[in-house]
Amino acid sequence: MNPNKQNKKTLKERRKSLKNKFKIIDMQLAGKSNRSSGVHEIKRKNEQRFVSSTVLSGLRNSDILAMVSPRKPLRVVTGNDASKVNRGEAKPLHFCQDGVSAITRDGLTLEELALDIRNHGWLVDREGKLTDPIHVVEMNDGSFVTVDHRRPVAVLSDYCRENRLFTVIHQEDTALPATEHCRFTGAKTWGEAVVYRLSQNREKKTPSPVLRIRTNAPEILRYWSEVPNFK
């Protein structure tokens, strides 16, 4: 092969990869949107090239793939047109745990996790596509409850004021996939997964916009002190 042609092809691929990276980063920035709703739906036909095939293959018809701004009220828009009528009243993100540890299972502090998300964006696979979304359940009463907690906590810190959460929003009655059964013992739907998480709590038994960080170092909390929907 002609070396010049090979170099041009390599340069073109690098430019395309860089362009895609910037588009992915832009999807994750909450500060560029003037919308009142915190749910920014990822339209599968137009943006699926930025999402891992593993995530896309696991979606149900009723699932909504979105980037979520957890500081804003969450309101899903019917259809793909944001000018259409909103479904229900906008509500904040709720938690179904009564608290989280300040240290992750991998030994990272919440501060380190927040800095990693701020500096490097959301998790991507080997092809540079978004992966490992959090799971949020839209309950029948219109509220939004997350069954994943540390990543929302990290993004609600002062470090991540511009970051959104890569999310799959499930309906309360949607069947829980077999791959999730081990996480929520006995649960058959995403709504039952929320109930299971609530049953594991030491204190609160209903979803709440308030979540505590369990720590013996109160100075850590200064990074979360002024965040709405979080205490």
Side-chain angles (χ1 to χ4, degrees), residues 1-17:
M1 180 182 291
N2 187 321
N4 292 331
K5 288 185 178 180
Q6 187 175 11
N7 289 339
K8 287 181 180 179
K9 183 179 179 181
T10 303
L11 183 60
K12 185 177 180 180
E13 289 175 346
R14 287 176 61 189
R15 284 176 176 170
K16 182 179 179 182
S17 176

Side-chain angles (χ1 to χ4, degrees), residues 70-71 95 151-158 160 223-224 227-230:
R71 286 182 177 79
F95 305 98
R151 285 167 289 172
V153 169
V155 172
L156 281 168
S157 73
D158 288 343
C160 295
Y223 302 111
W224 286 268
V227 177
N229 305 326
F230 183 86

